[in-house]
Every structure is written in C-alpha cells, then in structure tokens.
C-alpha cells in the first residue's frame, strides 16, 4: 500500500508503508513542521510497515523536536516500539 498522510484535528495519520521508496514524501511533508507549530502528533495505527529508512525519518523528526524544544508524539499501535527506539537517541 502506498503512503498516505492525512491531517485530523491537529494530528497526522500515516497509512500504508513507509520505506526507502517513499520516505522522501514523508520527509517533505514534515520538513519545516516545527517552524509553524509547537507540537507534532503522528498516529501510526494504520502504518502497515516501516523499514529502517522510515525509522530513521521518524528519528530525524524526533531530533528536530529536541533541538527546537517542541513536543513530538507518536500514537497508535506499535508506538511503544518506536518510542523505545527513540529513547535511545541523543539529539546532539
């Protein structure tokens, strides 16, 4: 399934797969998000799969949130695994 990004009530929903072939779309969508908002909420309930490149894209958003002192939330099934991965990251 192709990657779909929807915006609902100040939160984004990711559907489909996030992988090397479509990660640029994901990165482009959230490129300057922390310049226009104080927080980012991404729901991954409908994310069917994510490869290592996709995880790195989430990691980059997390690092940006730390550097810019913004809030970043990942919600939905599987978010615990993503959270555990991101907890090990050093923003500097």
């Amino acid at each position: 399934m192709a990657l779909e990004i929807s915006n609902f009530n100040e939160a984004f929903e990711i559907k489909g797969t996030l992988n090397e072939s479509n990660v640029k779309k994901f990165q482009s969508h959230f490129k300057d998000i922390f310049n226009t908002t104080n927080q980012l909420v991404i729901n991954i309930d409908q994310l069917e799969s994510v490869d290592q490149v996709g995880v790195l894209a989430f990691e980059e958003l997390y690092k940006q949130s730390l550097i810019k002192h913004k809030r970043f939330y990942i919600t939905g099934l599987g978010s615990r695994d993503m959270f555990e991965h991101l907890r090990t990251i050093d923003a500097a």
Side-chain angles (χ1 to χ4, degrees), residues 27-38:
Q27 291 169 323
S28 175
H29 193 86
F30 296 108
K31 181 180 179 195
D32 295 318
I33 193 75
F34 293 117
N35 292 336
T36 59
T37 187
N38 288 324

Side-chain angles (χ1 to χ4, degrees), residues 2-16:
L3 179 68
E4 294 179 33
I5 303 171
S6 305
N7 189 355
F8 295 105
N9 299 327
E10 298 182 16
F12 292 89
E13 182 177 69
I14 308 297
K15 293 182 182 178

Side-chain angles (χ1 to χ4, degrees), residues 13-61:
E13 182 177 69
I14 308 297
K15 293 182 182 178
T17 60
L18 179 58
N19 56 36
E20 187 173 7
S21 68
N22 60 20
V23 74
K24 289 197 185 290
K25 176 182 178 181
F26 179 87
Q27 291 169 323
S28 175
H29 193 86
F30 296 108
K31 181 180 179 195
D32 295 318
I33 193 75
F34 293 117
N35 292 336
T36 59
T37 187
N38 288 324
Q39 75 175 20
L40 173 61
V41 178
I42 299 178
N43 182 295
I44 61 171
D45 272 335
Q46 301 298 316
L47 186 61
E48 295 174 4
S49 68
V50 58
D51 69 4
Q52 184 61 31
V53 175
V55 171
L56 292 175
F58 274 102
E59 185 177 310
E60 184 58 34
L61 280 175

